């Protein structure tokens, strides 16, 4: 076979080494399909039920002592632009209350990406809502521990749409309902971006929050506050809050600017100059009954900002 080796050597000297055949079947000068095609990442499977079904399956903790780290959290329910950031910093000025910026914690969702993990969680006795509740509780508890205080306050405005689920997650939660004149709410939301938020959009947008808040007030116990009273008589209103929470009154609550409350960031709370003054400022003048838009008149009557007679004859 020596002659074959000599012939092969001679051919390689003349033509170059023989190209080996790729394992994927492509020939010389051809690119494999795997190399030419963009990488395709397979989308993880989701064995989770749809969000509406998850919400419907919410239930209280089976073992509160082990399933919840938070004890009696305070949940502020309010529409946007109703003074909830002011209330937050007022509460955060109390030495026992930690009121961080809006957490949107109820938006934290869990996905089960394999059938075995579904079976594993079922084996622990958890449905998906249980797992999400444990996650929410742990996230807020972490922030509470970092603050060194005793009680956490959560105040994201969209919580009005899941008030019952929050009460299910934390059966010992204390609710504070914050209301403001409906026209002031809609006007303030409009002023946040007048071009993108014209009044014809601001009214129905904020009204749905007001309706949800009123539904929560119908079914949940709690303390109702008015923004106008908080700004006109802060000492009386902060004393009411402390009485409701069984806490001693703290004078520093009405001078919140002396404490550090973190940055004021758009999207997770009020960011305007008024809140940055560090002192409670008077609210805007209330509209005359005849200036209240028709869409808001019934809510104004329900919340006591308009007499029944004025509402029917406006």
């Amino acid at each position: 076979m020596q002659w074959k080796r000599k012939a092969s050597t001679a051919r390689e000297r003349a033509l170059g080494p023989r190209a080996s055949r790729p394992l994927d079947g492509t020939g010389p000068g051809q690119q494999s399909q795997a190399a030419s095609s963009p990488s395709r990442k397979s989308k993880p499977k989701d064995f989770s039920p749809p969000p509406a079904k998850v919400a419907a399956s919410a239930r209280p903790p089976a073992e509160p002592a082990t399933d919840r780290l938070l004890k009696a959290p305070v949940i502020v329910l309010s529409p946007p632009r109703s003074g909830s950031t002011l209330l937050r910093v007022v509460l955060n000025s109390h030495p026992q209350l930690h009121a961080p910026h809006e957490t949107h914690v109820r938006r934290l969702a869990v996905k089960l990406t394999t059938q075995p993990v579904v079976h594993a969680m079922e084996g622990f006795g958890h449905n998906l809502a249980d797992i999400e509740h444990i996650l929410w509780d742990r996230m807020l508890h972490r922030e509470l521990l970092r603050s060194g205080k005793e009680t956490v306050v959560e105040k994201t405005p969209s919580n009005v749409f899941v008030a019952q689920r929050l009460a299910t997650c934390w059966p010992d939660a204390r609710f504070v309902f914050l209301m403001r004149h409906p026209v002031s709410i809609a006007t303030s939301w409009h002023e946040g971006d007048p071009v993108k938020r014209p009044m014809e959009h601001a009214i129905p947008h904020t009204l749905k929050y007001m309706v949800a808040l009123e539904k929560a007030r119908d079914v949940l116990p709690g303390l109702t506050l008015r923004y106008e009273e908080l700004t006109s008589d802060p000492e009386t209103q902060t004393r009411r809050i402390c009485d409701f929470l069984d806490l001693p009154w703290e004078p520093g609550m009405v001078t919140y600017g002396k404490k550090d409350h973190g940055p004021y960031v758009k999207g997770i709370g009020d960011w305007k100059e008024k809140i940055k003054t560090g002192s409670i400022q008077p609210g805007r003048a209330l509209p005359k009954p005849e200036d209240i838009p028709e869409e808001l008149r019934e809510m104004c009557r329900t919340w006591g900002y308009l007499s029944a007679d004025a509402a029917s004859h406006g």
Side-chain angles (χ1 to χ4, degrees):
M1 297 293 182
Q2 189 174 3
W3 67 270
K4 288 186 176 182
R5 286 196 294 271
K6 290 182 178 179
S8 178
T9 301
R11 183 180 66 251
E12 289 181 1
R13 286 175 180 172
L15 302 176
R18 177 183 293 182
S20 60
R21 188 179 185 86
L23 293 177
D24 62 6
T26 57
Q30 294 178 310
Q31 188 177 19
S32 69
Q33 183 177 0
S36 61
S37 301
S39 59
R40 297 178 181 177
K41 293 183 179 179
S42 59
K43 186 178 180 180
K45 292 184 178 180
D46 187 0
F47 292 86
S48 309
K53 190 172 182 179
V54 174
S57 69
R59 56 192 179 183
E63 300 178 21
T66 54
D67 291 348
R68 295 294 180 270
L69 298 172
L70 293 177
K71 305 301 179 185
V74 178
I75 299 177
V76 175
L77 296 179
S78 68
R81 309 305 308 163
S82 58
S84 62
T85 297
L86 173 62
L87 180 57
R88 173 184 83 80
V89 294
V90 166
L91 295 177
N92 197 52
S93 298
H94 194 285
Q96 296 183 40
L97 298 175
H98 176 53
H101 57 66
E102 295 169 13
T103 69
H104 297 267
V105 70
R106 64 106 170 179
R107 300 288 190 184
L108 293 176
V110 174
K111 286 186 177 181
L112 305 180
T113 57
T114 67
Q115 199 64 54
V117 76
V118 173
H119 296 323
M121 294 301 101
E122 290 175 347
F124 286 142
H126 297 317
N127 64 26
L128 198 57
D130 297 333
I131 302 169
E132 290 183 348
H133 291 173
I134 291 171
L135 174 61
W136 301 353
D137 183 74
R138 176 66 182 93
M139 290 297 294
L140 291 181
H141 186 255
R142 177 184 182 274
E143 295 309 307
L144 179 61
L145 288 181
R146 294 178 68 218
S147 74
K149 295 186 177 183
E150 299 176 17
T151 302
V152 74
V153 180
E154 157 60 11
K155 75 93 179 173
T156 307
S158 62
N159 283 343
V160 295
F161 301 115
V162 292
Q164 189 60 62
R165 185 170 178 188
L166 295 176
T168 301
C169 177
W170 293 287
D172 59 350
R174 277 105 29 105
F175 287 92
V176 176
F177 308 111
L178 178 63
M179 59 175 59
R180 186 183 185 183
H181 196 295
V183 176
S184 298
I185 292 175
T187 302
S188 182
W189 193 80
H190 156 70
E191 291 172 348
D193 194 332
V195 175
K196 294 182 179 180
R197 301 175 179 180
M199 277 300 288
E200 58 265 29
H201 293 164
I203 290 174
H205 176 79
T206 55
L207 181 58
K208 64 184 180 182
Y209 285 83
M210 301 179 217
V211 171
L213 175 61
E214 189 57 23
K215 289 180 179 178
R217 292 180 66 222
D218 284 341
V219 297
L220 296 174
L223 174 69
T224 295
L225 295 175
R226 294 181 185 274
Y227 170 79
E228 294 83 5
E229 294 174 350
L230 178 62
T231 55
S232 63
D233 190 1
E235 180 175 338
T236 297
Q237 297 308 309
T238 52
R239 285 184 180 277
R240 286 184 65 220
I241 297 170
C242 289
D243 289 344
F244 172 68
L245 300 178
D246 196 22
L247 295 173
W249 182 66
E250 169 59 43
M253 297 174 75
V254 301
T255 54
Y256 68 85
K258 297 180 180 180
K259 303 288 178 65
D260 180 15
H261 305 289
Y264 297 101
V265 180
K266 185 177 182 179
I268 52 175
D270 191 0
W271 72 99
K272 294 186 176 181
E273 292 304 316
K274 192 173 183 179
I275 193 69
K276 297 176 183 178
T277 62
S279 60
I280 299 176
Q281 303 291 315
R284 69 178 70 214
L286 299 184
K288 298 178 181 179
E290 59 269 24
D291 295 332
I292 297 175
E294 185 61 34
E295 303 94 318
L296 296 177
R297 298 184 72 81
E298 181 59 26
M299 186 56 66
C300 288
R301 185 197 66 77
T302 300
W303 283 0
Y305 290 100
L306 186 64
S307 68
D309 183 69
S312 59
H313 294 90

